Amino acid sequence: MRAATHAKWAVCAVSVALAATACGGGVGSGSDDPGVVSASWGDPQNPLEPANTNEVQGGKVLEMIFRGLKRYNPKTGAAQNVIADRIVTTDSQHYTVTLKPGWTFSNGEKVTAKSFVDAWNYGALLDNSQRNASFFQYIDGYDRVHPEDGTAKAKTMSGLKVVSPTEFTVKLNQKFSSWPDTLGYSAFMPLPRAFYTNHAAWVKKPIGNGPYAVESYTKGSAMKLRKWAKYPGADKARNDGIDLRVYTDNNSAYTDLQAGNLDLVDDIPATQLKNVRQDLGDRYLNLPAGVIQTLTVPIYDKAWNKPGMDKVRRGVSMAIDRASITREIFRDTRTPATDWTSPVLKTDGGYKAGLCGTACEFHPKEAKALIKEGGGLPGGKMTIAYNADTGSHKDWIDAICNSINNTLGNDKACVGAPVGTFADFRNRISARKMTGLFRAGWQMDYPLIQNFLQPMYYTDASSNDGQFSSPEFDKLVNEANAATDVPAAIGKFQDAEKILADQMPAVPLWYQNGSGGYSERIGHVSLNPFSVPVYNEIKVN
């Protein structure tokens, strides 16, 4: 989903690419194989390397074609051993990992300790420019393979040692009691030798060790995955395969579903929420998910980071009528956010309602006064950018601007700023070219409060798209990660959230349910706590 001194990170994660993205209809719900399920999808932003995928669409594929040391239970989200037989420590800093025998990649190569160690070293090395490199930052020697400045001083991390084909050791650079629970994230997946010996071919057709294997991929059209008959895991595919069809408009996907030309949609358009229960009945899915939607502030833009702008940012947040928007536009499939995490974490995972305080409540008079006190909107106006290729964002962006405009008594104070495609939108964000607020969000990579805070707001974290930096926030996160007592760690993280409430580098909007719908042709359809379909459990009727 899933940062420290030089984080290149996110479970995925991940900034949320919640929008499904594009094709047309008339293709039939099945394929040449009647046992194959067709599902809506969007082209991933990057090649499907485990340490280079930090958005949802690519993450869906990695979950199907890879299995790692752990996997997050599709019902509870709990981190459970898969390839790991044991992960033991006596001090929360030195770990010994023992693998179960019998695991192979789909090309027949054995999954060994070296498969993990080599993959992690590759992912961490600065030269390889992997977006999820920061996931390895707590391993001893990371600072040499991925320094903050200059070139790498080493090719491998000193904290990783292969002991035998089924055992390796990990030395962290600080205590991190929850570290094993992060190991279900895709960045930690093993890789076969073919990844290194013929990388171009691997990228074109990835080889993994999960219940599915990639048969083909045509960008802009579809990826075909087929059941791997020799998959050694217990969670074998219950269908013959998945055809992921690219859509640039989730309304088109929904229309295809209704027409019988598509089996599964996992992003119901906001415009269809008023009809979806009548259209689909019990085949409509609406479940809480570890997803939060926000508006990110470009702190790197001096206009949004000059003295007093913290008050303006808080004022903007207080000018948004979250309750009305979630009720009228999203038909209560969203819940107004009162912090920067998700209720799915529950108390044990670090969620605590109300940590944002009045800054996330609708107080128009106070909002107007705060914005004025802070010096006003930059240039007297603001924009909110969003990708326009899904048809699902314009309405709620306009509603937010209307709320801000009504608060300020100026119908031109806030306007939406559409960007053509999701890829263009993300590229502008990555290039730090945003001059106003922009839609963002987070889909958890693992169910811990740390995963919602560190990747997004720690200094230089790779999913810190607004470039927020607070030494006090960083210090609290470091102390929380080092705590061996879980309640103490959670307390530190929650203290860090209070800094976000004061500085408002991102405006929490609402917690998002996972939504989806499916055809009468398939059954046993569910969404996991990450809002992603559990593809391997789907059955064709």
Side-chain angles (χ1 to χ4, degrees):
M1 165 56 112
R2 248 70 102 293
T5 52
H6 187 62
K8 287 286 183 186
W9 201 71
V11 171
C12 61
V14 191
S15 294
V16 181
L18 289 174
T21 66
C23 78
V27 290
S29 63
S31 66
D32 293 337
D33 185 339
V36 172
V37 177
S38 59
S40 62
W41 187 55
D43 283 313
Q45 183 182 14
N46 303 302
L48 293 171
E49 301 161 302
N52 202 31
T53 297
N54 66 345
E55 43 76 37
V56 176
Q57 305 303 338
K60 292 175 184 177
V61 179
L62 295 183
E63 163 65 16
M64 286 192 274
I65 67 174
F66 279 103
R67 287 295 180 263
L69 296 173
K70 289 180 176 284
R71 184 190 184 211
Y72 301 112
N73 184 288
K75 291 184 174 61
T76 67
Q80 298 174 330
N81 284 355
V82 179
I83 298 179
D85 184 45
R86 299 183 307 279
I87 302 176
V88 297
T89 184
T90 58
D91 61 2
S92 298
Q93 187 170 2
H94 297 79
Y95 291 86
T96 298
V97 180
T98 305
L99 309 183
K100 296 174 183 176
W103 280 84
T104 65
F105 294 98
S106 60
N107 65 353
E109 179 186 332
K110 290 183 178 181
V111 177
T112 67
K114 195 173 188 298
S115 307
F116 285 96
V117 169
D118 287 353
W120 295 7
N121 278 320
Y122 180 93
L125 184 61
L126 180 64
D127 302 8
N128 296 325
S129 301
Q130 299 291 283
R131 291 178 179 267
N132 290 336
S134 66
F135 272 90
F136 308 104
Q137 65 184 327
Y138 289 110
I139 298 175
D140 204 41
Y142 176 83
D143 58 339
R144 291 184 57 77
V145 303
H146 204 116
E148 290 190 43
D149 300 299
T151 59
K153 306 299 189 296
K155 296 293 185 182
T156 60
M157 292 179 284
S158 57
L160 296 176
K161 302 291 184 185
V162 174
V163 177
S164 74
T166 58
E167 183 178 310
F168 66 99
T169 59
V170 184
K171 179 185 177 184
L172 304 183
N173 49 35
Q174 68 170 61
K175 293 181 184 296
F176 189 178
S177 58
S178 298
W179 181 76
D181 288 338
T182 71
L183 299 178
Y185 180 56
S186 59
F188 294 103
M189 296 301 107
L191 287 168
R193 288 191 298 272
F195 177 85
Y196 313 99
T197 58
N198 195 344
H199 188 252
W202 190 97
V203 167
K204 186 175 181 180
K205 189 175 181 179
I207 298 167
N209 64 327
Y212 295 94
V214 175
E215 182 178 89
S216 65
Y217 173 41
T218 302
K219 187 174 182 179
S221 178
M223 175 176 283
K224 295 184 177 182
L225 300 111
R226 294 297 178 261
K227 177 180 180 178
W228 178 30
K230 295 182 180 180
Y231 173 64
D235 55 331
K236 299 180 186 299
R238 302 169 77 180
N239 51 68
D240 291 340
I242 307 290
D243 282 352
L244 295 174
R245 295 179 180 166
V246 177
Y247 283 80
T248 54
D249 181 0
N250 57 357
N251 283 291
S252 296
Y254 188 78
T255 299
D256 275 357
L257 175 66
Q258 288 182 293
N261 296 325
L262 189 68
D263 290 322
L264 176 63
V265 169
D266 64 352
D267 181 22
I268 303 297
T271 54
Q272 299 294 341
L273 291 173
K274 60 182 181 294
N275 305 315
V276 66
R277 292 187 187 278
Q278 181 178 340
D279 292 344
L280 301 179
D282 291 341
R283 292 180 286 110
Y284 168 53
L285 303 172
N286 178 27
L287 300 168
V291 177
I292 184 172
Q293 288 284 304
T294 63
L295 296 177
T296 296
V297 182
I299 301 295
Y300 52 81
D301 186 329
K302 291 181 180 179
W304 281 100
N305 196 25
K306 59 187 179 183
M309 291 308 290
D310 56 324
K311 294 179 180 179
V312 175
R313 298 192 295 266
R314 290 202 308 277
V316 167
S317 178
M318 294 169 69
I320 299 172
D321 188 353
R322 296 166 177 80
S324 293
I325 295 171
T326 55
R327 181 177 62 251
E328 295 171 12
I329 292 181
F330 293 115
R331 304 281 170 161
D332 296 320
T333 60
R334 311 288 193 274
T335 304
T338 66
D339 87 322
W340 284 262
T341 67
S342 167
V344 165
L345 294 179
K346 301 184 173 63
T347 303
D348 291 347
Y351 171 70
K352 185 177 181 180
L355 281 174
C356 185
T358 58
C360 285
E361 298 172 0
F362 182 47
H363 296 293
K365 289 183 180 180
E366 293 88 336
K368 185 175 183 179
L370 260 180
I371 291 173
K372 182 178 180 180
E373 185 180 340
L377 298 176
K381 58 184 178 181
M382 62 176 283
T383 58
I384 302 177
Y386 63 96
N387 56 298
D389 57 357
T390 70
S392 63
H393 300 308
K394 183 180 186 301
D395 288 348
W396 65 263
I397 293 289
D398 287 349
I400 286 175
C401 277
N402 287 338
S403 185
I404 294 171
N405 291 344
N406 289 337
T407 295
L408 297 179
N410 178 358
D411 62 4
K412 296 182 179 179
C414 177
V415 296
V419 178
T421 68
F422 176 73
D424 288 342
F425 178 66
R426 283 301 311 168
N427 287 338
R428 290 192 191 185
I429 291 171
S430 298
R432 311 286 185 248
K433 291 183 177 180
M434 292 298 188
T435 56
L437 277 64
F438 52 93
R439 85 158 189 95
W442 192 253
Q443 177 200 56
M444 67 180 184
D445 304 299
Y446 43 85
L448 296 173
I449 184 175
Q450 182 249 15
N451 184 239
F452 281 88
L453 302 184
Q454 187 163 349
M456 300 280 280
Y457 308 112
Y458 196 100
T459 300
D460 288 337
S462 68
S463 289
N464 185 348
D465 289 330
Q467 291 290 282
F468 172 69
S469 180
S470 165
E472 186 180 359
F473 179 90
D474 294 352
K475 179 175 179 288
L476 286 167
V477 167
N478 289 338
E479 291 174 354
N481 284 329
T484 56
D485 176 74
V486 172
I490 288 174
K492 293 284 188 181
F493 280 122
Q494 291 173 344
D495 286 343
E497 280 199 82
K498 295 174 184 176
I499 294 173
L500 300 182
D502 183 60
Q503 296 295 315
M504 198 60 67
V507 177
L509 295 176
W510 36 75
Y511 310 121
Q512 181 163 322
N513 281 13
S515 68
Y518 57 97
S519 72
E520 294 177 348
R521 183 174 171 269
I522 61 175
H524 296 271
V525 184
S526 63
L527 301 176
N528 64 23
F530 306 88
S531 80
V532 172
V534 187
Y535 293 102
N536 64 289
E537 293 184 358
I538 297 173
K539 288 185 176 181
V540 177
N541 296 326

